[in-house]
Amino acid sequence: MDGVPVIAKRLREARLAAKISQKQLGIKAGIDEFSASARINQYERGKHMPDFSVVERLAKVLKTPTPFFYARDDDLAELILDFGKHGAQDRKRILKVLREFPAP
């Protein structure tokens, strides 16, 4: 992962996909407006790591499942994003299909 912590990489991906600035994201996540941009920038560069409660707030603003930020595998991260877009009924159906899919 090019030496960048997975949370940093995923945060940047999610923020860019949401088309929101670092400052906007920080403010909407409850970070002081005067330090919001710098804090998000530090998180995205991996200089500082947000604690779990901050990741949860960022995930809520970005409408992204929290586990996405911790997925090291890109395919798993994509699956988490896609799964998170579905409602409860669809999730049950998806899980049923996955359970029926033969494991290697």
Side-chain angles (χ1 to χ4, degrees), residues 1-14:
M1 246 187 247
D2 304 325
V4 176
V6 68
I7 294 174
K9 177 183 174 184
R10 300 286 179 225
L11 177 58
R12 181 170 171 77
E13 288 174 14

Side-chain angles (χ1 to χ4, degrees), residues 11 15 19-42 44 58 61-62:
L11 177 58
R15 182 183 61 77
K19 298 179 181 170
I20 186 172
S21 72
Q22 290 176 336
K23 184 173 185 169
Q24 290 170 321
L25 173 58
I27 291 169
K28 288 182 179 187
I31 298 170
D32 179 79
E33 69 176 293
F34 297 106
S35 62
S37 181
R39 288 242 331 253
I40 299 301
N41 182 274
Q42 290 174 347
E44 287 185 4
L58 295 168
V61 172
L62 295 168

